Amino acid sequence: MLEVEGLHARYGQVPVLNGVSLRVGAAERVVIIGRNGAGKTTLLRALMGFLRARQGHIRWRGVDLTHLPPYRRARLGLGYVPQGREIFPTLTVRENLRMGALSGDGSRFDELLQIFPRLGERLAQRGGSLSGGEQQILAIDEPTEGVQPSIVDEILEQLLGINARFGVTMILVEQNVDFASAFAQRAYTMLKGQITEELRPEALYDPRVIADYLGV
């Protein structure tokens, strides 16, 4: 479904992606791990078109997206949720969810509320007044960052449910090994702007992998 071949990108004159190649199948769940500065977030931004590809190709469902603007990619079904709880704090929960659904037909709004009942109870509440964990659910980014364990478990359950129910293909950047291994069907490691290994989820517990890519 998603194929990336030899992708290069840079910020100004500084190279940040150096020939990234990967593949993600239909309805597959893939996690990308790596130290800070490895290029993980940059890769997601480049896939969505927020950072121009200098070389290489990005194909989504057989369509070459390499030079399409972000809004065209969104209309083709590609989405990006950035790290950092980037919600609209002055809008209500309902309005935030509607904004996230603009690229679709909105037919799944009620189904999403069934999946995330915690948000359904707060539709009229402003996004900025939610707890940190609730904002994380509303903005599903790097899911476990700064979130209490009970919320982490809820987010994992709901991500798996969305994947199973809607067949959504997912690429996740995540540093929590327990969460990543429970979520992913495959894992890629990144180092210095390159994909260095493809692993099974259980391999994320390998002490070498943890030392090389997580710095623990």
Side-chain angles (χ1 to χ4, degrees):
M1 174 168 276
L2 176 67
E3 297 178 348
V4 181
E5 298 177 1
L7 186 62
H8 289 254
R10 64 178 186 242
Y11 288 118
Q13 298 303 311
V14 180
V16 285
L17 298 180
N18 302 299
V20 171
S21 296
L22 58 82
R23 58 178 177 81
V24 183
E28 190 176 18
R29 303 185 308 275
V30 169
V31 69
I32 299 175
I33 68 166
R35 295 170 181 258
N36 290 338
K40 306 181 301 295
T41 299
T42 299
L43 172 58
L44 298 185
R45 287 177 54 80
L47 294 180
M48 197 62 209
F50 297 125
L51 186 64
R52 185 165 74 91
R54 299 287 179 167
Q55 190 176 329
H57 295 280
I58 303 168
R59 296 184 180 87
W60 171 251
R61 296 173 175 167
V63 177
D64 192 330
L65 305 182
T66 311
H67 302 296
L68 294 183
Y71 78 91
R72 292 278 302 280
R73 302 183 195 209
R75 287 177 179 174
L76 290 170
L78 198 65
Y80 170 61
V81 183
Q83 181 179 356
R85 301 176 193 167
E86 295 190 16
I87 64 171
F88 297 97
T90 61
L91 298 184
T92 66
V93 170
R94 180 187 297 276
E95 290 166 338
N96 269 275
L97 292 173
R98 292 291 189 192
M99 289 293 292
L102 284 180
S103 62
D105 61 8
S107 62
R108 291 179 172 173
F109 184 81
D110 291 338
E111 291 178 282
L112 287 174
L113 294 183
Q114 292 175 19
I115 293 172
F116 296 106
R118 187 187 296 264
L119 298 181
E121 297 167 359
R122 294 161 173 77
L123 286 178
Q125 190 171 333
R126 293 189 183 276
S129 69
L130 299 177
S131 70
E134 289 166 347
Q135 288 186 31
Q136 202 82 356
I137 292 174
L138 183 59
I140 302 290
D141 50 9
E142 185 168 341
T144 67
E145 182 187 34
V147 177
Q148 65 188 47
S150 62
I151 299 293
V152 170
D153 292 341
E154 181 179 345
I155 291 174
L156 174 60
E157 178 183 351
Q158 305 306 350
L159 286 177
L160 294 176
I162 291 171
N163 172 256
R165 186 169 183 174
F166 301 121
V168 175
T169 301
M170 296 180 175
I171 303 175
L172 185 71
V173 168
E174 181 54 60
Q175 299 294 83
N176 182 315
V177 173
D178 290 336
F179 188 98
S181 62
F183 167 84
Q185 295 166 309
R186 285 190 303 118
Y188 285 106
T189 61
M190 284 196 76
L191 185 65
K192 297 180 179 179
Q194 295 180 312
I195 296 291
T196 50
E197 298 185 59
E198 178 182 341
L199 304 171
R200 299 297 303 167
E202 56 269 20
L204 295 175
Y205 288 102
D206 187 314
R208 177 194 62 80
V209 172
I210 292 174
D212 287 350
Y213 300 110
L214 298 175
V216 178

